[in-house]
Amino acid sequence: MDNKADNPGVAVFPPPLFLVALIVMLALRYVRPLAIGGRPLTIVLGIVLAALAIAIIAWGRSTMLRGGTNVNPTLPTTAIITSGPFGFTRNPLYIGLMGLLLGIGLLFDTWWAVIALIASFPILHYGVVLREEAYLERKFSESYRSYKASVRRYL
């Protein structure tokens, strides 16, 4: 594979995508709160979900680094990682980012988090995940197809 093309060619870098979704969520909350209600339960659930999401992101990232591959999707993937959270889902970092967005939304008691997630998910799915999957199939062929057949994409 040509080094110039040795990456999935993602349409957007995932962390900034979720940062934009978070900023839009908070701005819309300021303009029109759309409260979930149920405080203090939403605060507790928000803290738990955000902490769990951060733990999943950290676990996935450290597993990738220990496995000797790049975390950054604009760089070449050097190995298929199947251990740690990658044994349960092929996209633990993205699930973590989605969970973090929802957790922060619960902390701020706003339905805008759900709306922001629904709006940003197609960009993540079509612009990142499907491109990464096609790249990994081209690069790793049967070993990736076998992994893909045995582990869910999301949950």
Side-chain angles (χ1 to χ4, degrees):
M1 185 173 276
D2 180 358
N3 276 345
K4 251 184 358 185
D6 191 8
N7 68 65
V10 297
V12 63
F13 194 58
L17 171 65
F18 282 93
L19 181 59
V20 168
L22 176 64
I23 291 167
V24 168
M25 173 193 75
L26 294 174
L28 289 170
R29 180 194 177 272
Y30 178 77
V31 174
R32 183 147 196 264
L34 286 183
I36 296 168
R39 286 192 179 265
L41 183 60
T42 57
I43 292 172
V44 172
L45 290 175
I47 290 169
V48 169
L49 184 55
L52 181 62
I54 290 168
I56 290 169
I57 293 167
W59 186 24
R61 187 177 190 288
S62 67
T63 302
M64 289 178 79
L65 293 173
R66 275 194 316 277
T69 194
N70 290 304
V71 177
N72 184 335
T74 64
L75 298 174
T77 299
T78 58
I80 300 295
I81 307 300
T82 60
S83 61
F86 294 92
F88 307 103
T89 173
R90 297 192 311 262
N91 295 289
L93 280 72
Y94 304 149
I95 287 172
L97 285 171
M98 289 185 278
L100 184 57
L101 181 65
L102 289 175
I104 293 170
L106 286 169
L107 280 168
F108 281 90
D109 189 33
T110 184
W111 284 107
W112 286 114
V114 174
I115 296 166
L117 183 63
I118 291 169
S120 60
F121 182 78
I123 299 167
L124 176 72
H125 180 72
Y126 293 104
V128 179
V129 173
L130 293 183
R131 290 173 186 227
E132 288 179 341
E133 288 179 354
Y135 161 73
L136 293 170
E137 279 196 43
R138 284 190 311 273
K139 185 165 183 170
F140 296 101
S141 304
E142 188 53 41
S143 63
Y144 180 71
R145 281 192 287 277
S146 174
Y147 170 65
K148 188 170 134 177
S150 65
V151 177
R152 293 175 188 237
R153 179 181 285 145
Y154 297 112
L155 292 176

